[in-house]
Amino acid sequence: MDYVVARIGRPHGIRGEVTVELRTDDPARRLAPGSTLRTDPAGAGPLTVTSLRDHQGTLLVGFAGHEDRSGAESLRNVLLLVGADEAEDEAEEDAWYPHQLAGLSAVDTAGRSLGTVRDLLTGSAQDLLVVRPGGGGDDVLVPFVRALVPEVDVAGGRVVLDPPGGLFPDPDPDGQPAAGEDA
């Protein structure tokens, strides 16, 4: 499985540089000159980074073989990828990938079932857990912050949530704890 490091945006100037929409916490390492990244679509790459610089708060990247504006334009919307082994080798202690969270049981702090985690959406401001309520209905988006998600136990197969009132429908009207939890 590959992970997206960035999406290539519009060209900048006439020297082949492009803007990038980052999906990594470590762009200086991932996009360091000399780095080679796989691409989606695969036919656009692999791409080797030749330059990386900040221009008024926008990260600009240059790639070998794309040294002019038209070459840069041909890269627009290409995704830059790394393999799962490369991505997980440096995972932070409190960082998870969507595939690690999908399928985990979501329970509240009292152990009552709230549903099942379906996905992790990465946003510009914060990440969101997508939880399918146990009783059905629309997915619930939970900001992935410690105050609302105090515990992630991948090995134990659960995520503990402390949601504000009204975020979830009443999951279990008789107040029984989730399966495998003590009362």
Side-chain angles (χ1 to χ4, degrees), residues 3 5 7 10-11 13-14 17 33 48-49 55 57 60 66 70 85 90 95 97 101 103 126 132 144 152 167 170 179:
Y3 294 98
V5 172
R7 183 185 64 79
R10 68 184 187 284
I14 60 170
E17 291 178 308
T48 300
V49 178
H55 175 70
L60 300 178
H66 300 276
S70 62
D85 54 335
E90 332 142 348
Y97 291 99
L101 300 172
Q126 67 191 20
R132 171 70 41 96
F144 201 174
V152 176
L167 186 61
D170 186 13

Side-chain angles (χ1 to χ4, degrees), residues 39-164:
T39 60
D40 182 11
L47 294 173
T48 300
V49 178
T50 57
S51 65
L52 174 67
R53 69 183 180 102
D54 182 276
H55 175 70
Q56 299 177 352
T58 300
L59 198 58
L60 300 178
V61 182
F63 296 101
H66 300 276
E67 287 85 13
D68 61 19
R69 188 171 182 89
S70 62
E73 181 63 45
S74 71
L75 297 176
R76 189 183 287 231
N77 293 320
V78 168
L79 300 177
L80 301 173
L81 310 172
V82 295
D85 54 335
E86 298 168 85
E88 291 181 6
D89 283 347
E90 332 142 348
E92 297 173 25
E93 183 179 322
D94 288 341
W96 295 273
Y97 291 99
H99 76 274
Q100 294 174 299
L101 300 172
L104 296 181
S105 296
V107 298
D108 66 14
T109 55
R112 289 183 297 266
S113 177
L114 295 172
T116 304
V117 176
R118 287 195 342 104
D119 201 357
L120 172 67
L121 302 177
T122 53
S124 57
Q126 67 191 20
D127 294 343
L128 298 168
L129 279 179
V130 180
V131 179
R132 171 70 41 96
D138 294 333
D139 288 345
V140 176
L141 301 178
V142 180
F144 201 174
V145 295
R146 189 169 301 280
L148 299 179
V149 188
E151 181 183 343
V152 176
D153 182 4
V154 173
R158 71 183 197 145
V159 173
V160 176
L161 305 178
D162 191 8

Side-chain angles (χ1 to χ4, degrees), residues 10-22:
R10 68 184 187 284
H12 178 83
I14 60 170
R15 296 186 191 143
E17 291 178 308
V18 294
T19 61
V20 291
E21 176 187 306
L22 294 175

